[in-house]
């Protein structure tokens, strides 16, 4: 037979006896000290019940992945709400061109930015149903990353550029991200502690071959000057010949190539690092 001993909550009389015994020099047992602590805590809570007292409950922690997912959803919900400091007028024009203007993206425009990036960088699946499903997942991931960058990046450390026609209500047709990076290999090559970097440049497939990428590069160079950097860097895959020609025409020079083992380990083509002096 197994006997189970159930601990009972001490009564007020028992607590009073323990307090008296402690005053007389007879220290209560360990269980008595624990019961007294619980009693004191209950009395404090009871006396302060009229004011706001946060209630803390101890529950089993969920899986780490669930916690991260909940935090990500919370960030997306918070960041997707309109900012109180955001102006309702036109966005800041970084570069005003003849056909296209380059402007800083506002927070509510990041979803449209993520759609253009997802369409440009998503690897198509031959099965339409799976292709649409994976494209939706990829676009949601890109959107969440953009929201995090926009919300948590410090001033003059991240900018999302958009290209559109001069009209106020013109849709976004091209995007690019400018940020400050500090990769050790690039820092050592350029002999700097950090550098200005442009990435994730994408143009709407229906609007390509219209000098939109060239205008985005010019806008990124102006941002680098504004932030006080004299050089702008970027990466391009060695298989993307058209992009390499664009960058060379814009004045970018080859600085280095990724090693073959790095590309094989990452499961992607070799990258070429290019840079341009903008001051």
């Amino acid at each position: 037979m197994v006997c189970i001993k159930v601990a009972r909550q001490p009564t007020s009389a028992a607590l009073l006896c323990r307090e008296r015994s402690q005053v007389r020099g007879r220290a209560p047992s360990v269980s008595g000290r624990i019961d007294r602590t619980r009693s004191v805590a209950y009395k404090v809570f009871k006396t302060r019940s009229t004011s706001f007292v946060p209630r803390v409950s101890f529950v089993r922690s969920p899986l780490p992945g669930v916690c991260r997912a909940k935090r990500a959803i919370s960030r997306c919900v918070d960041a997707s709400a309109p900012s109180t400091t955001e102006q309702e007028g036109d966005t800041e024009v970084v570069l005003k061109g003849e056909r296209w203007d380059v402007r800083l993206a506002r927070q509510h425009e990041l979803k449209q930015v993520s759609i253009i990036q997802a369409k440009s960088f998503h690897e198509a699946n031959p099965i339409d149903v799976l292709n649409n499903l994976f494209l939706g997942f990829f676009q949601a991931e890109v959107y969440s990353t953009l929201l995090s960058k926009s919300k948590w990046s410090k001033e003059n450390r991240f900018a999302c550029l958009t290209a559109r026609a001069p009209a106020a209500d013109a849709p976004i047709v091209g995007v690019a991200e400018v940020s400050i990076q500090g990769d050790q290999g690039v820092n050592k090559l350029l002999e700097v502690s950090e550098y200005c970097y442009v990435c994730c440049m994408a143009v709407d497939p229906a609007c390509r071959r219209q000098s939109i990428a060239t205008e985005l590069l010019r806008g990124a160079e102006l941002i680098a000057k504004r932030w006080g950097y004299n050089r702008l860097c970027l990466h391009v895959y060695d298989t993307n010949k058209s992009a390499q020609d664009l960058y060379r025409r814009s004045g970018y020079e080859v600085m280095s190539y990724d090693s073959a083992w790095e590309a094989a380990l990452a499961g992607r083509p070799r990258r070429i690092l290019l840079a341009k002096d903008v001051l």
Side-chain angles (χ1 to χ4, degrees):
M1 177 180 294
V2 178
C3 296
I4 300 176
K5 184 178 181 180
V6 180
R8 299 179 58 186
Q9 184 70 19
T11 61
S12 301
L15 291 174
L16 182 60
C17 292
R18 288 195 180 98
E19 292 176 357
R20 289 179 178 178
S21 64
Q22 188 177 14
V23 172
R24 295 172 183 174
R26 297 191 298 272
S29 62
V30 175
S31 60
R33 290 196 296 269
I34 295 176
D35 293 339
R36 185 185 178 193
T37 303
R38 291 177 178 175
S39 176
V40 172
Y42 174 75
K43 291 178 182 179
V44 172
F45 177 79
K46 187 174 181 181
T47 55
R48 298 184 180 181
S49 59
T50 56
S51 61
F52 173 76
V53 178
R55 297 182 178 180
V56 181
S57 59
F58 297 91
V59 296
R60 182 175 295 179
S61 176
L63 295 176
V66 177
C67 294
R68 288 194 297 268
K70 289 182 177 179
R71 288 195 297 267
I73 294 173
S74 177
R75 288 197 297 267
C76 289
V77 172
D78 295 340
S80 60
S83 175
T84 56
T85 60
E86 188 178 49
Q87 297 181 357
E88 295 296 334
D90 294 337
T91 56
E92 179 184 352
V93 178
V94 178
L95 174 66
K96 195 168 185 63
E98 297 180 359
R99 296 185 58 189
W100 310 105
D101 289 349
V102 177
R103 307 180 186 181
L104 294 177
R106 290 186 291 184
Q107 197 167 30
H108 72 273
E109 297 173 332
L110 295 181
K111 187 171 184 179
Q112 188 177 357
V113 171
S114 67
I115 293 174
I116 295 177
Q117 289 180 333
K119 289 181 179 179
S120 300
F121 302 128
H122 173 66
E123 296 182 0
N125 191 292
I127 303 176
D128 293 338
V129 176
L130 295 179
N131 182 66
N132 295 333
L133 180 64
F134 295 152
L135 178 60
F137 286 151
F138 183 55
Q139 186 265 326
E141 182 181 359
V142 173
Y143 180 49
S144 176
T145 303
L146 280 171
L147 288 174
S148 298
K149 291 179 181 179
S150 176
K151 185 174 181 179
W152 301 109
S153 296
K154 296 182 180 179
E155 186 179 2
N156 296 342
R157 304 288 294 186
F158 173 78
C160 182
L161 303 181
T162 62
R164 64 190 84 186
D169 56 347
I172 297 174
V173 295
V175 298
E177 298 178 19
V178 185
S179 60
I180 305 303
Q181 302 293 330
D183 181 79
Q184 295 183 358
V186 180
N187 288 345
K188 184 177 180 180
L189 180 65
L190 301 179
E191 298 180 351
V192 294
S193 58
E194 58 184 15
Y195 54 92
C196 196
Y197 186 75
V198 59
C199 66
C200 302
M201 187 166 61
V203 178
D204 193 310
C207 302
R208 291 175 180 173
R209 306 294 180 182
Q210 300 184 38
S211 302
I212 297 175
T214 302
E215 297 300 321
L216 287 170
L217 282 176
R218 292 176 58 194
E221 293 165 8
L222 292 177
I223 291 292
K225 289 181 182 180
R226 180 186 302 180
W227 292 351
Y229 292 86
N230 59 1
R231 186 173 291 179
L232 182 63
C233 302
L234 57 88
H235 277 106
V236 62
Y237 289 136
D238 61 353
T239 55
N240 195 345
K241 301 299 181 184
S242 59
Q244 294 179 40
D245 295 337
L246 168 65
Y247 298 143
R248 290 194 177 98
R249 289 197 306 267
S250 301
Y252 288 81
E253 299 178 353
V254 176
M255 303 300 295
S256 67
Y257 290 82
D258 281 353
S259 61
W261 68 267
E262 287 178 335
L265 187 63
R268 53 168 171 74
R270 294 178 63 187
R271 296 185 307 170
I272 306 174
L273 175 65
L274 298 98
K276 178 183 178 180
D277 294 331
V278 296
L279 291 183

